[in-house]
Amino acid sequence: MTSVQKDAGQPGVNVQTLLNEHPFSGFQWVIFALCFLIVLLDGFDTAAIGYIAPSLISEWGVSKPALAPVLSAALFGLAALAATVLPLLSIALTAFTGTLSGGVQADNFTLRHFAAIFERGSDAWSALTTSFSLAAGVALLTGALGALVAYCVLRFRSRWSLVLDAVSVLPNAMPGIVVAVGLILAWNQPWLPITPYNTWAMLLMAYACLLLPYPVRYANAALQQVSVNLESSARVHGAGPWRMLARIVLPLLAPAVGAAMLLVFSIASRELVASLLLAPTGMQTVSVYVWRQFEQGSVGEGMAMSLVAIAVAALLVLLAHALQQLRKKA
């Protein structure tokens, strides 16, 4: 039996067989021992700090609540290491190695997975361009709708504005699969003369529905800091509604809405559930591509694509944070 089996013409990785055929190497045992030693020493360190805490309180002249963050820093650091750093390291190692069985060796290092992703005309390149195009479209759409909804809710106080506010944030309470199935049931009807079903528009609608709450909340928070007197003064001096919005409201909302749009782009470019259910035949997004690479046993290319998506998402989150800081300074 080999580590790669075929089922109905689709290759797949049999994990148990792979582990049986490729036992731990000496280097891997060293890594395992070092990880165990780190956990062991961290436990001793935590226990020792508990015994010396009274002495630290008396010598430093601090209270017990003030000492708590110091004592818990190691545990939080270990949890952060296990939850974020180690998975990212695993993804990176898999993306840069030629084969899983080759292990972490210098001669197993390769960039061919990334070369395959960025090759023009490949399925991976098509998935990247499709995801980024849809993410850009939904970011623009939700940014505009979010700013409009926030303005209507805060400036036109009524029962309907409260309903609008509740409806705009309702997707936060719904799983993505519920939204996707609802769109299928709504638009896959034989009596409809025109339907976006089985087109890219269905994905755009699903992303917009799921991610609209982010721009709404960002714009709402920013608009609450804009005094109504600014708009009243503009009207007194003869500015029409559109000029007042363009010259006063939108410039003040731009940093917050821009940050929300970057966040929406980051999430939409790697959304999985709605993409799996609603993607038209022949269309792949980044998340669907990664999913199918795992199904086909091409783990290296899947991890390389994941690493690219993580890098893009991290960059956009940093840009969103920078825009938020710019808004606070303004």
Side-chain angles (χ1 to χ4, degrees), residues 138 142 171 206-216 263-265 267-268 271:
V138 76
T142 57
Y207 293 168
C209 180
L210 290 170
L211 302 175
L212 180 61
Y214 294 99
V216 170
L263 184 61
V264 167
F265 184 98
I267 299 174
E271 201 282 334

Side-chain angles (χ1 to χ4, degrees), residues 17-286:
T17 305
L18 178 65
L19 294 177
N20 292 336
E21 292 180 353
H22 303 89
F24 265 25
S25 63
F27 178 76
Q28 290 169 328
W29 276 114
V30 171
I31 296 296
F32 178 79
L34 288 176
C35 292
F36 177 79
L37 184 62
I38 290 172
V39 175
L40 181 66
L41 292 178
D42 185 75
F44 284 140
D45 178 63
T46 304
I49 288 178
Y51 285 109
I52 66 173
S55 301
L56 292 177
I57 291 174
S58 60
E59 290 185 11
W60 293 355
V62 297
S63 62
K64 291 182 179 180
L67 189 64
V70 178
L71 299 181
S72 59
L75 294 177
F76 280 109
L78 185 63
L81 177 69
T84 58
V85 177
L86 291 181
L88 288 175
L89 181 61
S90 176
I91 291 173
L93 288 176
T94 307
F96 285 105
T97 53
T99 60
L100 291 176
S101 59
V104 185
Q105 303 291 339
D107 56 354
N108 197 30
F109 177 83
T110 182
L111 295 175
R112 62 183 176 85
H113 301 312
F114 293 93
I117 289 175
F118 293 107
E119 181 182 354
R120 293 295 183 94
S122 64
D123 291 341
W125 180 258
S126 176
L128 278 173
T129 55
T130 299
S131 284
F132 290 165
S133 299
L134 288 171
V138 76
L140 293 173
L141 179 61
T142 57
L145 288 177
L148 180 61
V149 169
Y151 188 84
C152 292
V153 168
L154 292 178
R155 293 298 186 260
F156 304 101
R157 298 283 186 176
S158 68
R159 181 185 306 172
W160 294 108
S161 64
L162 296 178
V163 173
L164 179 63
D165 188 35
V167 171
S168 66
V169 299
L170 183 61
N172 272 342
M174 295 189 299
I177 191 171
V178 174
V179 175
V181 172
L183 287 173
I184 292 174
L185 295 176
W187 292 105
N188 189 23
Q189 300 297 333
W191 51 266
L192 289 174
I194 300 176
T195 176
Y197 183 72
N198 202 32
T199 67
W200 58 266
M202 281 287 282
L203 278 178
L204 193 68
M205 292 169 60
Y207 293 168
C209 180
L210 290 170
L211 302 175
L212 180 61
Y214 294 99
V216 170
R217 293 297 96 191
Y218 273 66
N220 192 298
L223 197 58
Q224 288 182 10
Q225 303 177 30
V226 178
S227 175
V228 182
N229 295 330
L230 294 176
E231 301 172 36
S232 301
S233 299
R235 293 193 185 96
V236 168
H237 288 81
W242 293 109
R243 187 177 183 185
M244 179 267 296
L245 289 174
R247 299 293 296 274
I248 296 177
V249 177
L250 290 181
L252 295 175
L253 288 183
V257 175
M261 291 170 62
L262 288 175
L263 184 61
V264 167
F265 184 98
S266 173
I267 299 174
S269 62
R270 51 185 171 81
E271 201 282 334
L272 174 62
V273 177
S275 301
L276 281 174
L277 293 176
L278 300 176
T281 304
M283 175 183 287
Q284 288 193 94
T285 62
V286 166

